Amino acid sequence: MTRDSSPNRRQITDVGASLTGSGTRALQQVAAVPVCATCGAQPAERQGEHVWPRWQLKLRDAAGPPAEPWRANGRVIRDRDGKPVHPNRRQRVLLPVCRDCNQTMNQRFEEPARAAIIRLMTSEWSGAASADEWVAVGRWFAKTLSLLGNPAAKYDHDLIHEEAARFGWGHPDYGWLHDAAGIAPDGLSLYVFRTENCRPSHPQHRMPVPARVVQDDGHVEDFHLFIHAENGICATLLNHPGWTVEHPLVARGDAWELLHDPPADGADLSSLPALPWTVIKWMGGEADLKPGRRLGTGLPPLQEAGGLLPDSVSTLHVKKQPDHGAEHRAARLDAARSQRR
């Protein structure tokens, strides 16, 4: 997961004048109003956008409580007593979004995919769907995972909010979520494969995809990864602007890319072999391109194993990404210490 962490907030001033006779004074009230996380221009609605839509949450909760405790990056989240965090309902996640973007995303992503998602999800993602339905499902997942990874996303459970996976540097380009065209960028991919167990296992493939690319002119481009797994499906969002990726499972026919190369009409995800969601180890780090090498100029594709391509990359080093949960954990630790005093 990656991104350049700038807060999605700005100061908007509300000025109210109170006139009470000769001693009139103008009172100013300054309130921090979140700016829309998608367009970055309009003030967000007070409640914000439900990243997981209400209809999906209601459907999932009606089927019973979650079977497994919460995990972040494969690690079980635990409370102060060491017990696994296991809420009795699905998490509500809110993101500050303006009214216009909220309506656009509902019309563009939610409504076209809703019927197919309900049908497939209730059968643990088995059953045939048309090519158009798979594209709609892919666009919905791409939108949802792009917003889930935003550092401003707020989970309703405090511990899960602190530990939930988020992009480390920034977030993918949100322009296509709200602009007039609504076309997914070429460098944004949404992969799906069949999984029947959300517990991690040893990876079978190693994919070198940098979290950050430094070009020879010093320009920096962030890549982003977000994985969501549930019984029946693993969906992987990968933002890789200007650099082609050859996904090993897609290459052998065990996964699909839904945004740009969907399966044919009648494709059934349950016809693919069931794999653990950790079947691929995505190797990040910061890549410095050699002089003359630029993103979007015909770089050889990123492929399984073999490392990042030596004719394109001069150096690759791991750089710690920002931890957006650290300040929350520190505040909780300080509060716990105060209670013990």
Side-chain angles (χ1 to χ4, degrees), residues 14 29 93 139 148 216:
D14 296 324
Q29 182 181 12
V93 185
R139 286 168 59 84
L148 274 178
D216 63 355

Side-chain angles (χ1 to χ4, degrees), residues 88-259:
N88 60 6
R89 68 171 193 166
R90 274 71 187 176
Q91 282 296 288
R92 277 60 179 164
V93 185
L94 294 175
L95 186 69
V97 173
C98 70
R99 181 183 297 273
D100 289 345
C101 285
N102 200 344
Q103 293 177 346
T104 297
M105 289 189 291
N106 181 64
Q107 296 169 359
R108 181 172 290 174
F109 301 104
E110 303 290 338
E111 293 306 320
R114 181 172 178 170
I117 289 173
I118 291 174
R119 189 180 76 247
L120 295 170
M121 188 179 65
T122 52
S123 60
E124 295 191 346
W125 295 94
S126 64
S130 69
D132 288 344
E133 285 180 316
W134 282 119
V135 169
V137 168
R139 286 168 59 84
W140 179 82
F141 265 123
K143 181 273 299 183
T144 302
L145 301 188
S146 291
L147 300 183
L148 274 178
N150 191 298
K154 177 68 173 69
Y155 289 72
D156 64 3
H157 190 291
D158 288 343
L159 288 178
I160 294 174
H161 175 72
E162 293 170 12
E163 301 287 348
R166 292 180 174 86
F167 301 129
W169 289 304
H171 56 71
D173 181 9
Y174 286 162
W176 75 287
L177 299 182
H178 60 82
D179 65 17
I183 300 173
D186 290 339
L188 187 70
S189 298
L190 193 288
Y191 306 104
V192 294
F193 62 85
R194 182 75 175 171
T195 185
E196 293 179 349
N197 191 329
C198 292
R199 295 176 182 174
S201 65
H202 294 297
Q204 301 172 18
H205 304 275
R206 296 166 63 85
M207 274 298 296
V209 175
R212 174 165 283 185
V213 176
V214 182
Q215 303 184 81
D216 63 355
D217 62 353
H219 177 75
V220 175
E221 192 73 50
D222 294 334
F223 286 26
H224 306 91
L225 175 72
F226 200 98
I227 300 173
H228 168 76
E230 61 186 64
N231 278 346
I233 191 170
C234 178
T236 301
L237 177 78
L238 182 62
N239 181 46
H240 50 101
W243 208 337
T244 302
V245 173
E246 292 186 358
H247 193 291
L249 300 185
V250 173
R252 73 186 194 202
D254 290 344
W256 303 327
E257 198 288 313
L258 298 184
L259 296 181

Side-chain angles (χ1 to χ4, degrees), residues 45-69:
E45 292 187 277
R46 178 167 297 183
Q47 183 179 16
E49 159 79 349
H50 278 267
V51 179
W52 293 114
R54 291 187 182 95
W55 54 263
Q56 190 240 16
L57 294 168
K58 183 177 180 180
L59 189 67
R60 296 303 301 271
D61 287 343
E68 297 282 341

